[in-house]
Amino acid sequence: MPNSRILLVVGVTVLVVVLGLLGQTLWELHRTPTSAERGTPLIGGAFTLTDHTGRARSDTDFRGRHMLVYFGYSFCPDVCGTELLAITQAVEHLGPAGDKVALLFITIDPERDTKERLAEYVAEFHPRLVGLTGTAEAIRAVAKAYRVFYKRGDAAGGDADYLMDHSTAIYFMDREGKFLTHFPFQTPPEKMAQTIKRYL
Ligand code: NI
């Protein structure tokens, strides 16, 4: 009876697929959770941007060194300057060990933060501070990877005079570009240096 034989084959196939899916689900439930699943926030990721000297820079260029990463914009009236100054002071507290930490300032206002503008801005803070800009898409992608929020705000004067709302945390990443911790706005530089030292 060919019909019942076909039914048997179909039945066995369905059973095998169902058991396979069940097995996979059970394995998923019992395997060791990854760090992301354990609650370490999944922050950071790949990027390709342009630095303040016009050089293409990607996240992999900084492998082997820890990174302090801050997102902001050079026209920021207050917060960004305060935070970049704090980074500079924290690195100074670290002394020679601070040389092992790459310092990254990623603009969330690529429209106005050209590489020339960034070159002037980063020079106000630290000789090793790397200013990074890119296309609107590239900036959006890296901000998303770092869970950074930003939004164009009101224009105070003319159209070119707008403010940007943005997150203000400083991210501290390990030698593989993985998230270690973050420093909330107004963390004292000495405290930042103490925390960083523990990881170096
Ligand atoms: Ni700012």
Side-chain angles (χ1 to χ4, degrees), residues 13-87:
T13 307
V14 167
L15 191 67
V16 166
V17 169
V18 166
L19 285 177
L21 287 174
L22 190 68
Q24 196 186 347
T25 306
L26 286 174
W27 182 81
E28 287 280 342
L29 286 173
H30 288 277
R31 79 199 160 85
T32 315
T34 64
S35 64
E37 290 159 347
R38 279 198 304 267
T40 308
L42 204 56
I43 289 172
F47 61 78
T48 302
L49 299 166
T50 304
D51 76 11
H52 63 274
T53 70
R55 217 172 118 200
R57 304 298 288 268
S58 68
D59 56 303
T60 52
D61 296 347
F62 302 98
R63 290 293 181 274
R65 300 164 74 195
H66 286 79
M67 297 192 290
L68 278 171
V69 186
Y70 180 74
F71 289 76
Y73 68 116
S74 72
F75 287 88
C76 184
D78 40 37
V79 174
C80 288
T82 307
E83 293 302 86
L84 289 172
L85 188 62
I87 287 176

Side-chain angles (χ1 to χ4, degrees), residues 7 55 75 77 80 83 87 120 138 146 154 164 174 191 195:
L7 275 178
R55 217 172 118 200
F75 287 88
C80 288
E83 293 302 86
I87 287 176
E120 284 173 30
Y146 276 81
D154 294 333
M164 298 290 292
D174 75 6
K191 210 182 154 212
T195 304

